[in-house]
Amino acid sequence: MRVVQKFGGTSVGSLERIRSTASLIERSVRQGHETAVVVSAMSGETNRLLGMARELCEQPQARELDALVSTGEQVSAALLAIELHKRGIGAYSYTGMQAGFFTDSRHSRARIQRIECKGLLEHLERGEVPVLTGFQGVDERGNITTLGRGGSDTSAVALAIVLKADICDIYTDVDGVYTTDPRIVPTAQKIECISYEEMLELASQGAKVLQNRSVELAMRNTMPIHLRSSFEDVSGTLVTSEDETMERASITGVAYNRDEAKITIRGIPDHPGIASDVFGPIARTDINVDVIVQNVSEDGTTDITFTVPRGDFGPAMKTLKDVCKEMKARDVKGDDTVAKVSIIGVGMRSHSGVARQMFKTLAKEGVNIQMITTSEIKITVVIDEKHVELAVRALHSAFDLDAKN
Ligand code: ASP
Ligand code: MG
């Protein structure tokens, strides 16, 4: 088998952790697997480096920031290669530039364009282990670039794809994806197998385990990801394509996000173009609008309600007040104590009555639903923030996700 193993910051966070990570790699090599490795910087290192730059200068040049933070991954790759060598494994560290990770020139958010990894394949064929720095690449002019925070997940998946690996193992400090946040619901269970789409929906709801881009890339190339713990030797969560033949429960997980605020603009004289008049100015301030509900009343006016990230509430309200005046709407109201709760599952496609069951469950708990939005595999409600835990717990058990015993 050919595998790419990616180790996150906590898995290389100290010399002791580097030794146990080396043991995992050694085991894979001794089992006869062709093994390529991608590492993150030691935990906290990227932030430490960025902090130093910002102490010198409020807005350092993006090019230099990339040169700076890329060193974090170089340190962990070299240390890990040294430890593997000591164990008699032919290990070789490579920076993004050395490994031929060519990207565009957008510093701190570059996209991989191609990977020229001929030398890496030869290592694998000889039973050696290339240890690559994640998160970084080089543009056509030779400038060091980075792929955005959490980007080494994306480096690992991209490498797995070009090396035609059988699987991309992503080792982290959690042992998988759970049916919901175990801090809220102690009976939450580890999900053994989840589809790419569900994983993306869970992540967009705040379950940040993998960089979203890495999941999108894996989905486009059907590269299975095994998300697992480097601290515990148990199997984690397999992120893979949806298997049509598998008998699915209606719901795979319950997600929530407290980072929400709701804005309503009321009594807008209704005519074509108003939605664009409302959201145009918001988009220009770079604020992401999420759940949107529009309602036309009999008197010929419209109300539009939508949510924004809570951190953008202030600026969004300010913009909307100007918009309100200009459009001669009645008023603008805001509430930054709302939250989103979603149920997610590809099983929704084939089970009916899922929405009804969700609403009934919330009603029974006395939770008032303020907004509703649905997609093929997700139903989201906006509710008062103070009811989040109650709602998540009730839904988790109503959809039979609680661990038995
Ligand atoms: N070290 C980088 C970061 O902290 C990349 C990564 O860990 O994936 O964002
Ligand atoms: Mg990460």
Side-chain angles (χ1 to χ4, degrees), residues 25-259:
I25 299 166
E26 183 176 1
R27 183 174 70 183
S28 169
V29 173
R30 306 272 181 239
Q31 283 170 344
H33 302 316
E34 292 183 349
T35 309
V37 172
V38 173
V39 289
S40 288
M42 297 169 93
S43 47
E45 180 64 6
T46 309
N47 287 339
R48 190 184 71 87
L49 294 167
L50 287 172
M52 281 201 294
R54 301 229 156 89
E55 254 181 64
L56 286 176
C57 168
E58 220 170 276
Q59 272 193 322
Q61 298 96 304
R63 179 184 184 278
E64 304 315 327
L65 280 181
D66 277 356
L68 176 69
V69 291
S70 68
T71 61
E73 271 72 12
Q74 273 193 58
V75 171
S76 41
L79 288 174
L80 187 55
I82 288 169
E83 174 64 22
L84 288 167
H85 247 281
K86 189 186 77 188
R87 296 166 184 238
I89 293 168
Y92 298 84
S93 70
Y94 283 91
T95 65
M97 188 186 310
Q98 289 174 309
F101 273 63
F102 286 94
T103 71
D104 60 25
S105 301
R106 293 187 301 171
H107 287 292
S108 84
R109 56 200 161 94
R111 296 205 160 239
I112 301 171
Q113 288 175 331
R114 62 176 205 284
I115 301 177
E116 291 174 3
C117 63
K118 263 216 311 294
L120 302 185
L121 273 175
E122 287 157 15
H123 281 308
L124 293 181
E125 280 155 13
R126 287 197 291 266
E128 297 165 350
V129 178
V131 182
L132 274 65
T133 54
F135 177 52
Q136 58 183 266
V138 63
D139 74 3
E140 295 299 335
R141 279 169 295 169
N143 298 304
I144 294 172
T145 56
T146 63
L147 310 180
R149 299 306 302 270
S152 46
D153 294 336
T154 302
S155 308
V157 170
L159 182 67
I161 292 163
V162 292
L163 291 178
K164 299 194 171 53
D166 296 290
I167 194 158
C168 182
D169 279 337
I170 297 198
Y171 283 93
T172 173
D173 50 8
V174 293
D175 65 354
V177 183
Y178 277 72
T179 48
T180 196
D181 185 347
R183 286 170 305 184
I184 291 193
V185 185
T187 48
Q189 304 177 68
K190 184 160 65 186
I191 302 171
E192 263 167 47
C193 184
I194 191 171
S195 70
Y196 298 115
E197 273 181 287
E198 290 170 321
M199 188 67 202
L200 287 169
E201 291 286 13
L202 276 178
S204 71
Q205 299 305 305
K208 281 268 168 290
V209 237
L210 291 174
Q211 197 195 35
N212 252 7
R213 267 168 65 193
S214 70
V215 182
E216 285 161 7
L217 187 63
M219 176 160 83
R220 279 201 301 279
N221 295 274
T222 1
M223 173 57 62
I225 297 176
H226 187 185
L227 184 73
R228 55 193 307 186
S229 165
S230 65
F231 290 76
E232 254 185 299
D233 195 15
V234 291
S235 74
T237 298
L238 186 68
V239 188
T240 181
S241 29
E242 184 182 329
D243 185 349
E244 304 291 347
T245 61
M246 219 149 73
E247 198 64 61
R248 286 278 179 181
S250 55
I251 293 303
T252 305
V254 181
Y256 68 93
N257 194 347
R258 285 199 169 93
D259 176 30

